[in-house]
Amino acid sequence: EADTEALLGLAAECGYAATDTAENADLVLVNTCAIREHAELKVFSKTGGLKKIKEKNPDMIVMLCGCMAQEPHVGEKIKKSYPYVDLIFGTHNLFCFPQYLCEVYESKNGGFDPKGHKITQIWDATDEIVEDLPVERKYSYKSGINIMFGCDNYCTYCIVPYVRGHERSRQPGDIIRECEKLAADGVVEVMLLGQNVNSYGRDLETPCSFAELLSAVAEVPGIKRVRFMTPHPKDMGRDVLEVIRDHPNIARHIHFPLQSGSNEILRRMNRRYTREQFMERAAEIRELIPDAAITTDIIAGFPGETEKDVDDTVDVIEKVCFDNAYTFIYSPRKGTPAAAMEQVPKEEVQKGFDRILAAVQENARKRAGALAGRTMTALAEEVNTQDPEYITCRLSNNIIVHVRGDASMIGHFYDVTLDECRNFYYFGTVLCENVKGY
Ligand code: 5AD
Ligand code: SF4
């Protein structure tokens, strides 16, 4: 999403404006995700749908970029089966997009063949971090900020290190300057983004820890809520938790990916922590920041997973009592070690997934329900998609509250009472505006 905002910013500088549909577009940019097969299938289907549109409008330029472009077998497939894609570029050279656009136009002028595939621009790696790219933000009041790129962890199921390269941190000064600029532009909430934020800064000439960065960001005037994603349990230090405890404007929400509660599966996932270590860290979070929600990611059906392994995962879910979780069915990613391991039969995977999901939902309901009747501070984010008389707001702990109101509230904080719990979200009532944000 952050890359899409940069691509939109670059496109705007080239004179383009967004359209609602591809039918009336001069340029279609397909920015892709490779994390699971489901995401990739969506890309193939959307890109396939562009063929008919391009037949009607042969001047339309189609470009495909992002993580899928970075996978060699996908690049080949696009070239072969989707020849109307004019240009493919990867994750390391996103900032070259305007130059590539010019190249497409130039190749058109020089005897452009609407059927033949044109240009591929994939870099194997980069050490470069390009600062100050223009961005078109999706939201006026909140923004993601990349603090680092790439990942060195090589979890055996994960494609990210292969398509995003090794870990590189941005300079803290550049990040703080970006926060100040965003605050001056009316942004009240920032989300610091990295694949493993705990290892932020270790590669810098003058090292700066994630705890130091987080604290500096939280102290930027005007930034009323700070979130971050994602910490890695193996590296989560007490210093980070203390910074959160000491800064009420850092969200009471820690996304803490478990992946599996079985020590054997964790070992084969190369996660480099045990279920015991994970639970100790989670207990430390509950002790230091008792009002923080802990959410997680869990994969069901990793190669070799047995019923007993699923029992262990369900056990951790119950012991930690996660506030919520994203549960995924394991998706083999070509080129990763786990893809070559013996796979679990589909029906077994589904059974495990269903058990994990049921445990997650039961605990999430319990945790959300316990807040009924409380008054908490919420950021008004958008007009409710189902009923325009309601505004959808988000608490510091990431729980959604719908309140009566209008669009003028968006981007402001309110103290709201949590009246009625509906499973994982609330209906509430606004008491008053809260200018501090907590
Ligand atoms: N299959 C299923 N889920 C995956 N994730 C990453 N790779 C895979 C995969 N191959 C999940 C992990 C990660 C989240 C972003 O996506 O749970 O935390
Ligand atoms: Fe993938 Fe996250 Fe593991 Fe990096 S730390 S390899 S991004 S799951």
Side-chain angles (χ1 to χ4, degrees), residues 3 6-8 10 27-32 61-71 75 78-79 85-101 103-104 117 119-123 163-164:
D3 283 355
L7 288 162
L8 286 171
L10 288 164
L27 165 68
V28 176
L29 250 172
V30 186
N31 188 17
T32 64
I61 293 171
V62 179
M63 290 164 94
L64 186 140
C65 62
C67 288
M68 276 174 73
Q70 205 68 39
E71 293 180 288
I78 297 280
K79 271 194 237 175
V85 174
D86 296 285
L87 193 139
I88 305 174
F89 62 100
T91 56
H92 302 301
N93 48 349
L94 176 143
F95 65 96
C96 296
F97 155 63
Q99 178 195 328
Y100 298 152
L101 191 53
E103 284 172 21
V104 173
H117 172 72
I119 311 167
T120 307
Q121 290 280 6
I122 314 285
W123 297 0
V163 293
R164 290 272 159 183

Side-chain angles (χ1 to χ4, degrees), residues 316-337:
V316 176
I317 294 168
E318 282 165 359
K319 289 201 168 114
V320 174
C321 204
F322 289 112
D323 292 75
N324 221 330
Y326 294 101
T327 41
F328 306 106
I329 286 185
Y330 168 70
S331 169
R333 306 284 71 213
K334 206 173 184 155
T336 60

Side-chain angles (χ1 to χ4, degrees), residues 35-36 157-159 257 259 297-299 328-333:
I35 196 83
R36 281 173 292 275
Y157 52 81
C158 184
I159 193 75
Q259 312 299 2
D297 289 344
I298 297 172
I299 298 176
F328 306 106
I329 286 185
Y330 168 70
S331 169
R333 306 284 71 213

Side-chain angles (χ1 to χ4, degrees), residues 30 37 109 111-112 163 204-205 227 231 260 271 283 320 328 341 363 365 369 381 402 410 426 438:
V30 186
E37 190 188 18
N109 291 337
F112 176 75
V163 293
L204 293 173
E205 237 165 69
R227 297 183 181 280
S260 168
R271 291 292 287 175
V320 174
F328 306 106
M341 299 176 190
N363 283 282
R365 237 178 255 126
E381 296 206 337
H402 303 287
I410 292 171
Y426 272 91
Y438 56 85

